[in-house]
Amino acid sequence: MARTWATLGVDLHVEPTGSGVRKGLTDALREAVRSGRLAPGTRLPSSRSLAADLGVARNTVADAYGDLVAEGWLTARQGSGTRVAGRSVVRPAPRAAPCPPEQRRPAYDLVPGTPDLASFPRTAWLKAARRALSVAPHDALGYGDPRGRPELRTALAGYLSRARGVRADPERIVICSGFSDGLTLLGAVLRRRGLRSLAVESYGLDVHWNLLHRSGLRTTPLPFDELGTDTGDMTGARAVLLTPAHQFPMGVPLHPDRRAAVVGWARGTGGFVLEDDYDGEFRYDRQPVGALQGLDPDHVIHLGTVSKSLAPALRLGWLVLPPSLADEVISLKGEGGWSTGALDQLTLAEFITSGAYDRHVRAARLRYRRRRDALVAALATRAPAVHATGIAAGLHAVLQLPPGTERSVVQAAAWQGLAVHGLSRHRHPDAVTPPQDALVVGYGTPPDHAWSGALDALCRALP
């Protein structure tokens, strides 16, 4: 006899078994407590309500409760009702295992790719969430359009046009769960079209290359020099993944001639450029470099997220698709049930349209610029032989090191309590570009109060 009690707003599933209703109920409740299904402090329904739900006499439930109170499984107090008693559980000691080598937990995280999570605008976000939910239509709580909520797609179309120079139609914007989700979706569509490989930059993120590999695509790295990724020879390529506004991790924008060249290649061959605009808002020395998509919306796929501007945990990103690709991507997304939380989409839409997003980005841009300036000043004073590059934008800098010293400096940084990446970590295994010794230092992650300590530790680790 399995029933669910919900009269007073609490669900309790019990299944009395064996002979005798009282004993069966007592055993079922005892087992629920013993197994942890009913946690200490859980309030049980009144004897009257549970009896009505189970179709038994109230005294039967009251007697079962009384037995368990006497045994110490439950507690009963006037005005507090019947609750699961707190208890200490003695578990057998685990078998001894060999001690691993001592690992120092980093005191400071300078790994690139994460913003200052302590500065997430909690109050403004909560305000936007309340406002968005209060006016959301009922259909917002359903399965919805595979492209995502129209409120967010409309808000993004306006914002991306204004702030990044993207020519975006809300009908061709697809909301996804971050960049990796969008890249996986595109990789699957391109593979369906018969692509076998995708050109990528010599330096980047192995997680992105691995996602493409899992989609069945090889990644072929392009040469790299002081002008950025060399897009001059794209023979045989049908698609390329680039970070043109601020190359990751080298930090240089794609040279204007090369921007024009890659767009010309896409037009001439019918190929696609996948534009990763991962931190396009954070330019410090002049206006941000405009999105490549603005030059050719028919051949450039614009990918963006709020992972750097707000927080990765939101899992909100977008694809701005060419007309020739939109239907295939939308169809595949609908087939696979790839969905992103509608309530967070509505909140971000409200956050953008209210102006809160612009205010947050401007404040973050100022904060990160101050950190960058402090980094450059500290290097000039305490490590003048180390030159910082790629500092005109973004949340990280590349510190050029003497040849052959990268590994030892990364180790020295670990001894100083720093988590930091060497540049070699981001080099494609098939890259023909000669390797360099450098550190990739993220200055976005530490909160403001920890930045000076992180800088001190970094300078102690440098040559």
Side-chain angles (χ1 to χ4, degrees):
M1 179 173 56
R3 302 287 181 89
T4 299
W5 176 89
T7 307
L8 297 181
V10 179
D11 286 339
L12 176 60
H13 176 83
V14 289
E15 190 172 358
T17 58
S19 60
V21 177
R22 172 178 168 180
K23 183 179 184 303
L25 178 60
T26 303
D27 291 346
L29 288 170
R30 184 189 297 111
E31 181 57 30
V33 176
R34 180 189 286 119
S35 67
R37 188 166 66 84
L38 291 178
T42 300
R43 182 169 182 170
L44 301 183
S46 69
S47 58
R48 183 189 302 275
S49 299
L50 185 56
D53 187 66
L54 294 176
V56 300
R58 179 184 178 187
N59 286 344
T60 300
V61 179
D63 290 343
Y65 280 180
D67 291 344
L68 295 172
V69 169
E71 295 175 14
W73 295 102
L74 304 179
T75 62
R77 292 189 178 89
Q78 186 68 31
S80 181
T82 304
R83 296 178 181 271
V84 177
R87 62 193 186 280
S88 59
V89 179
V90 179
R91 295 182 175 87
R95 297 190 334 181
C99 294
E102 181 181 357
Q103 294 183 352
R104 299 164 60 100
R105 182 177 180 180
Y108 303 105
D109 184 359
L110 299 184
V111 172
T114 304
D116 179 4
L117 302 179
S119 68
F120 181 81
R122 297 173 186 241
T123 301
W125 185 261
L126 182 59
K127 183 178 179 181
R130 287 173 172 164
R131 192 159 50 235
L133 186 58
S134 67
V135 300
H138 297 310
D139 67 1
L141 304 179
Y143 291 104
D145 191 321
R147 293 171 297 181
R149 289 300 306 172
E151 297 90 342
L152 179 55
R153 290 187 283 112
T154 301
L156 281 171
Y159 173 78
L160 294 173
S161 175
R162 168 173 54 83
R164 301 295 300 123
V166 173
R167 289 189 270 172
D169 181 344
E171 298 301 306
R172 291 190 286 104
I173 294 178
V174 171
I175 307 302
C176 50
S177 299
F179 179 86
S180 293
D181 185 46
L183 184 61
T184 301
L185 185 60
L186 288 173
V189 169
L190 293 175
R191 187 66 182 82
R192 283 187 176 187
R193 285 191 163 210
L195 268 71
R196 295 293 183 270
S197 66
L198 190 99
V200 297
E201 296 171 312
S202 287
Y203 290 94
L205 286 174
D206 57 355
V207 65
H208 296 165
W209 303 328
N210 293 337
L211 285 173
L212 294 168
H213 294 165
R214 285 197 289 272
S215 297
L217 297 170
R218 298 189 309 274
T219 55
T220 305
L222 297 170
F224 183 89
D225 58 26
E226 67 277 2
L227 301 181
T229 299
D230 187 350
T231 60
D233 184 9
M234 299 280 289
T235 304
R238 294 175 58 191
V240 58
L241 172 64
L242 297 173
T243 52
H246 183 233
Q247 203 283 329
F248 181 86
M250 302 305 288
V252 298
L254 189 62
H255 190 274
D257 291 344
R258 293 181 177 177
R259 286 167 63 93
V262 75
V263 168
W265 161 83
R267 287 174 180 164
T269 62
F272 292 107
V273 180
L274 283 61
E275 177 185 27
D276 179 2
D277 198 41
Y278 72 100
D279 64 358
E281 298 95 341
F282 297 122
R283 184 93 190 173
Y284 308 122
D285 298 337
R286 56 183 173 85
Q287 284 292 315
V289 176
L292 190 67
Q293 189 266 4
L295 298 180
D296 192 343
D298 292 334
H299 295 94
V300 179
I301 306 164
H302 184 84
L303 298 92
T305 77
V306 295
S307 295
K308 304 298 182 291
S309 56
L310 285 170
L314 293 177
R315 307 312 304 149
L316 285 171
W318 52 86
L319 307 174
V320 183
L321 298 163
S324 63
L325 206 59
D327 289 344
E328 291 176 68
V329 173
I330 295 167
S331 176
L332 181 59
K333 190 171 188 291
E335 292 172 12
W338 301 15
S339 60
T340 304
L343 299 183
D344 283 341
Q345 292 186 52
L346 292 170
T347 301
L348 179 58
E350 171 63 27
F351 203 68
I352 293 172
T353 55
S354 68
Y357 186 71
D358 284 84
R359 290 190 293 272
H360 171 74
V361 168
R362 286 198 299 271
R365 187 185 296 131
L366 178 61
R367 179 167 57 254
Y368 294 139
R369 177 170 183 166
R370 287 171 176 164
R371 294 187 189 182
R372 182 209 64 173
D373 291 347
L375 170 62
V376 173
L379 292 176
T381 302
R382 302 173 59 180
V386 176
H387 180 56
T389 61
I391 60 174
L395 305 179
H396 72 273
V398 178
L399 307 189
Q400 303 292 335
L401 300 174
T405 62
E406 179 183 304
R407 179 175 296 183
S408 62
V409 174
V410 170
Q411 186 177 41
W415 281 107
Q416 294 296 333
L418 289 175
V420 65
H421 282 179
L423 179 60
S424 60
R425 183 188 183 102
H426 299 286
R427 186 171 183 268
H428 194 286
D430 298 329
V432 297
T433 302
Q436 304 178 37
D437 285 84
L439 291 186
V440 185
V441 176
Y443 49 80
T445 304
D448 287 338
H449 70 269
W451 181 229
S452 61
L455 270 182
D456 288 341
L458 176 64
C459 289
R460 289 194 298 268
L462 293 174

